[in-house]
Amino acid sequence: MKKLIIFLLVWVIAVVSGIVGVKVYKQHQISKYAVDAVPYVKKVIPEISQWDPVAIRSLMTEQTLQSLSPEKFSRIIEIFSQMGELQSMEEPVFVQTDSLPTAGGGNQMLVRYTVKARYRKGDAILTLNLVEEQGGFRVAYFNLSSEVLTQQ
């Protein structure tokens, strides 16, 4: 009986330590990117929300631009533009980081944020995936989710 209690106690301590470790690691990631990434996100959301494909493409990574035809991209932006003008947006929320392979054989860090925004025709959630390049960030890709777009 004593061994069972000790085993359960060790198991509980291990689980609690694991949970605390994950939270500490996530907080470290949030603080690591908050200084540079959050201001960048706040800057690019209004630029993206102008719905100008040429201007948006200038914010994106070279790898993304090579994989996306201008015609398809323009059609996507045309669909998103149905939301209308940006009225307001909330603070960006850190979601996660991912490591992506690069063409040169290395890895890039992808940083994901979501932003709740209000447009003339309704609310939306923008998800931005950023890549750190040359001391700054560029948009790897983004998505806009809204019930407004699903109703049309």
Side-chain angles (χ1 to χ4, degrees):
M1 184 68 165
K2 187 175 179 180
K3 286 184 181 184
L4 179 61
I5 292 172
I6 292 172
F7 173 77
L8 289 174
L9 185 61
V10 169
W11 182 81
V12 168
I13 291 171
V15 169
V16 169
S17 297
I19 292 170
V20 169
V22 167
K23 288 186 181 228
V24 167
Y25 177 71
K26 184 158 184 162
Q27 189 58 42
H28 170 72
Q29 287 182 314
I30 290 170
S31 63
K32 179 178 176 182
Y33 293 106
V35 173
D36 298 322
V38 170
Y40 180 77
V41 170
K42 288 180 177 181
K43 178 185 140 219
V44 298
I45 294 289
E47 292 178 33
I48 289 171
S49 298
Q50 294 295 313
W51 311 125
D52 177 3
V54 174
I56 296 170
R57 287 177 70 87
S58 72
L59 302 171
M60 302 185 85
T61 65
E62 196 59 41
Q63 187 174 0
T64 301
L65 294 174
Q66 291 173 1
S67 67
L68 187 62
S69 75
E71 296 81 23
K72 184 176 180 180
F73 184 72
S74 292
R75 177 67 186 130
I76 292 168
I77 299 305
E78 182 181 318
I79 292 168
F80 289 168
S81 72
Q82 295 172 17
M83 294 298 298
E85 299 83 32
L86 178 66
Q87 305 293 309
S88 64
M89 65 182 198
E90 294 182 8
E91 282 293 309
V93 176
F94 173 84
V95 177
Q96 69 183 45
T97 59
D98 290 313
S99 182
L100 294 178
T102 62
N107 286 319
Q108 277 185 317
M109 189 60 68
L110 185 74
V111 184
R112 182 172 300 135
Y113 281 87
T114 60
V115 179
K116 291 182 182 177
R118 177 159 297 205
Y119 289 91
R120 185 173 45 84
K121 291 198 176 171
D123 294 341
I125 297 176
L126 285 111
T127 303
L128 274 81
N129 294 277
L130 310 175
V131 172
E132 200 166 9
E133 285 186 353
Q134 300 162 349
F137 288 94
R138 299 201 55 88
V139 177
Y141 54 94
F142 69 95
N143 188 34
L144 183 142
S145 302
S146 175
E147 288 184 17
V148 172
L149 298 177
T150 60
Q151 295 170 357
Q152 297 177 4

